Every structure is written in C-alpha cells, then in structure tokens.
Amino acid sequence: MTFKFLRLFCCVLLVGSFTLPIQAVNAQEAKQHQTLPTVKITLQDIPLEVEYAHTFEQRAMGLMYRKTLCEQCGMLFKFSGSKKASMWMQNTFLALDVAFITSDGVITDIKPMQPHDLTSVGASEAVLYALEMNQGWFAKNGIKVGDKMVIKTP
C-alpha cells in the first residue's frame, strides 16, 4: 500500500513540475502584450488607437490569454506581405470578430471567432491586415465589407 502511495505521489510531483513552468510562461506571455505598440486607425470616421502586432512573435501571440478587452480596444495585425491570411483562437478567451483588410485599407471580410476554437478562419482574398475587435463591434458601429480603414502606421 505504501509503495502505491509513493508511486502516486511521485507522479503528482512529476506532473506538477511540468505544469508550473507552463503556467509561468503563459503568465509571462500575457504580460508581454501590455507593451505592444499602438497604431491609430480610422473606420467610418471612428478614430481608434489599437495594439499593433507587426512582428511574427506579436502576431503569433495575438490576444491570447486575455480575459477582457475594452469596448473600443482591438489589435491590428500586419502580415509580412499580402496573402490569403487566416486566424484561429488558440488560448484566446474572448469572443472576437476579425476584419480582413487589403493593403489599400478595404475590408474584404468580417468573420466571428469563438473562444478556444482551433478552426482556421480565413480571408476570401489576399490581405495585408487583420483587425480583431470584440464580437459585435463592427456591426454595432455600422462597419461592413467594402468599407475602408485608414491606417497611420508608425
């Protein structure tokens, strides 16, 4: 009986030793987002200042691990070049809408994304940008496919 208990105890310690570093990394990654640069954009005369993910690492992290996003907050992703981009919601707790945007600022698609859904949500044509906002934000503000976004990149 004591041997079984000892074996179980060792397994619990072993599993715990793997999960603690992962939790620390997740917390560190989430904290990293607080220092992203911002960019000013305008959609249908609505000025916004959103987080700007323009490096591979910033795009890969996106809005992961966030529990809240203010009403007028979002994240603009700039890809390395125009392409048929796609997004997914790994480790993302927020319900979001993503607008895919061409290099000249035209919105090609606005699609909903659900928390933790690993289904790839893609643009219908080559785009340079994607803008993630709280789910329903685009509809609430009358933003639709074909509208233009003005981007004042840093």
Side-chain angles (χ1 to χ4, degrees), residues 30-83:
K31 188 175 182 181
Q32 174 187 359
H33 284 292
Q34 297 171 356
T35 60
L36 280 181
T38 60
V39 63
K40 293 180 181 186
I41 62 173
T42 304
L43 286 162
Q44 294 294 88
D45 297 325
I46 302 170
L48 297 169
E49 188 168 344
V50 295
E51 293 180 70
Y52 186 51
H54 63 281
T55 69
F56 175 80
E57 292 80 13
Q58 291 167 342
R59 288 189 306 269
M61 182 61 62
L63 291 169
M64 286 184 182
Y65 307 109
R66 305 274 182 103
K67 301 287 181 161
T68 61
L69 189 63
C70 80
E71 189 176 325
Q72 295 294 98
C73 294
M75 183 174 286
L76 181 67
F77 296 78
K78 182 178 182 186
F79 304 109
S80 56
S82 289
K83 63 181 182 177

Side-chain angles (χ1 to χ4, degrees), residues 11-151:
C11 287
V12 169
L13 279 178
L14 185 60
V15 169
S17 69
F18 285 114
T19 59
L20 286 176
I22 290 170
Q23 291 170 349
V25 168
N26 291 348
Q28 182 180 9
E29 289 172 344
K31 188 175 182 181
Q32 174 187 359
H33 284 292
Q34 297 171 356
T35 60
L36 280 181
T38 60
V39 63
K40 293 180 181 186
I41 62 173
T42 304
L43 286 162
Q44 294 294 88
D45 297 325
I46 302 170
L48 297 169
E49 188 168 344
V50 295
E51 293 180 70
Y52 186 51
H54 63 281
T55 69
F56 175 80
E57 292 80 13
Q58 291 167 342
R59 288 189 306 269
M61 182 61 62
L63 291 169
M64 286 184 182
Y65 307 109
R66 305 274 182 103
K67 301 287 181 161
T68 61
L69 189 63
C70 80
E71 189 176 325
Q72 295 294 98
C73 294
M75 183 174 286
L76 181 67
F77 296 78
K78 182 178 182 186
F79 304 109
S80 56
S82 289
K83 63 181 182 177
K84 272 187 124 174
S86 60
M87 312 287 274
W88 66 344
M89 297 289 282
Q90 180 176 355
N91 299 318
T92 306
F93 295 91
L94 307 166
L96 301 170
D97 282 339
V98 60
F100 291 103
I101 305 158
T102 62
S103 60
D104 61 350
V106 177
I107 297 174
T108 63
D109 307 89
I110 299 174
K111 297 183 176 181
M113 298 189 300
Q114 301 306 316
H116 304 290
D117 187 354
L118 300 182
T119 304
S120 186
V121 175
S124 61
E125 59 186 85
V127 295
L128 185 59
Y129 301 98
L131 176 62
E132 289 182 342
M133 300 292 287
N134 285 307
Q135 200 165 79
W137 185 91
F138 293 102
K140 179 180 176 184
N141 288 281
I143 310 298
K144 58 192 176 317
V145 170
D147 287 348
K148 193 160 185 174
M149 177 172 69
V150 177
I151 305 163

